[in-house]
Amino acid sequence: RQNSHAAKTVSGESLCTLNNQRESGAENMKIILVLLFTAPLALSADKDYSSADSAGSPETKSTFALLDDVRILANGLLQLGHGLKDFVHKTKGQMNDIFQKLYIFDRSFYELSVQTSEIKEEEEQLRQITARLQMNNEEMKNLSQEMNLKIEDLVQNKIQLQEKVWGLEDKVTKLAIIQPSTQETKEISSLKAFVEQQDNDIKQLLKIVEDQHVQLNRQHNQIMELEDKLNHIELQELTENSFMEEQPEPETISLLNATAGRHRSDGAAADCTALYHSGEQFSGVYTIKPNGSEAFDVYCEMKFGTSWTVIQNRVDGSLDFNQTWEAYTNGFGNLNGEFWLGLNKTYSITRQGAYVLRIELQDWKENKRHIEYLFSLGGPDTRYTLRLSRVSGTIPNALPEHTELPFSTAARNVGTTNGFNCTQNYIGGWWHSECEETNLNGRYVTPRSRGRLERRKGLYWKPKKGRYYLLKSTKIMIHPTDLKSFD
């Protein structure tokens, strides 16, 4: 539009110059015409005066003088005619230049119009692509939810089948002791083979479903990356440290709500789930006593129709998580605010059976995401080694699966990568394998902090091929793998 406006302005100025030249040429032509009409009169007068000269009157000299003036005037007119001729040629050249410039500007204006049309078409195509990607993203979300439900059903069926297999093994052992007949032995063998075949089929089906789930998550992440690129091109915005919006979980009760406080219990419950089944229905601090351990206090959060044992909570940065190995082993903080339960207490709970680890994250735009793992936690002799297997979630994985991850602090380092001490460069203790995957016990850093090194020492979640997601709050909690008790 600026180029077309400039073209119009230059064209207007050229037309004004052309009009002025035409008006000047018209005035000069008028002068020429007047002189041309005056010249014959002067010549006729010259002839009259020349005839009078034969009489020899005294006016002869004045007549000759008048004739000289006429000749001078004629010479001036001739010179003026040559000047006008040169002026006309010059004016024609200038007019040709002006018309050439007008042609160039008209062509430029046309090309700008064509480019504008092409840009509008490309913009419309980008909008259509964005709309299709959004529809595909919704479909992928629905498929992912369905796959999660199927995986949970398969896990439950596997547990039930394992219980049946164990029962059948007990029966087979008893039958072997009482020496069953040949016919009974054949029936038992065929039954055992049938059960083993069913168990193998279920394992294969579960593996296929897990592979499909991983593929769906990978496609979902690719769609999210494409949407980010398209939004960046169309809106020219830098959306650093953001998650996709998720509806708040209505059954979640904050650790800082009005029910926070000390609740009494007899201390015989193994964990918060056992307290819930015994009748405790409110979130708060309770006393539990895992098998083979001393009684201690924990924070129990009631959600999804059950109760979870919280092992870490961060909400406002009021607690410094740059603590020693002993502090991370025994626990620190306020159970009604920010705290770390302690590796030794967590181990005493998880060694009672199989547990699910749930991590809930919230960014600085109040968007919430979560991820769940089946996990095992080693004891003090293994440096509380953690081993994970993802079950479900609404965020890309940032922790390595099926890998032994020993716990580390700056004073007692275990996790290194190529000789690089993670805990000396990243604040707080954590299960490190690679020094950039995630750190939920880092320094509490706000988005205003400058520099990547400062953010890398903060509280963040980082997928292997993704960017740093700077977090506002985190919560880590555990629950037995009794999937009937929660959605």
Side-chain angles (χ1 to χ4, degrees), residues 354-473:
Y355 276 76
V356 174
L357 180 73
R358 180 181 175 93
I359 300 175
E360 295 182 349
L361 309 174
Q362 183 178 13
D363 70 354
W364 288 90
K365 292 186 177 181
E366 310 301 329
N367 300 315
K368 296 180 180 180
R369 307 294 277 174
H370 76 277
I371 191 168
E372 293 178 357
Y373 299 94
L374 292 174
F375 80 104
S376 63
L377 183 66
D381 55 333
T382 67
R383 306 281 181 105
Y384 299 101
T385 297
L386 181 68
R387 189 179 180 88
L388 299 171
S389 177
R390 177 185 169 123
V391 176
S392 64
T394 58
I395 186 174
N397 189 18
L399 293 171
E401 298 183 66
H402 311 295
T403 303
E404 293 186 354
L405 306 174
F407 196 86
S408 303
T409 62
R412 193 168 182 175
N413 174 51
V414 177
T416 61
T417 301
N418 297 327
F420 184 75
N421 189 343
C422 301
T423 52
Q424 290 182 359
N425 294 274
Y426 299 90
I427 304 301
W430 189 248
W431 291 280
H432 289 289
S433 64
E434 297 180 3
C435 294
E436 294 185 358
E437 73 276 10
T438 187
N439 186 7
L440 301 186
N441 287 333
R443 180 183 299 163
Y444 196 84
V445 176
T446 62
R448 297 179 181 177
S449 300
R450 298 180 179 179
R452 184 182 178 190
L453 291 177
E454 184 68 19
R455 291 195 299 272
R456 284 171 62 181
K457 293 183 179 180
L459 183 65
Y460 67 89
W461 182 270
K462 183 185 181 300
K464 190 169 184 179
K465 294 184 178 180
R467 61 171 181 257
Y468 289 89
Y469 291 112
L470 199 61
L471 301 174
K472 182 179 180 181
S473 65

Side-chain angles (χ1 to χ4, degrees), residues 465-484:
K465 294 184 178 180
R467 61 171 181 257
Y468 289 89
Y469 291 112
L470 199 61
L471 301 174
K472 182 179 180 181
S473 65
T474 67
K475 188 185 299 178
I476 305 175
M477 46 193 179
I478 59 176
H479 188 285
T481 55
D482 179 11
L483 300 179
K484 291 182 179 179

Side-chain angles (χ1 to χ4, degrees), residues 32 35 74-88:
I32 292 171
L35 293 175
N75 290 330
L77 289 174
L78 183 60
Q79 293 177 359
L80 179 62
H82 288 298
L84 287 174
K85 184 178 180 180
D86 295 337
F87 176 76
V88 169

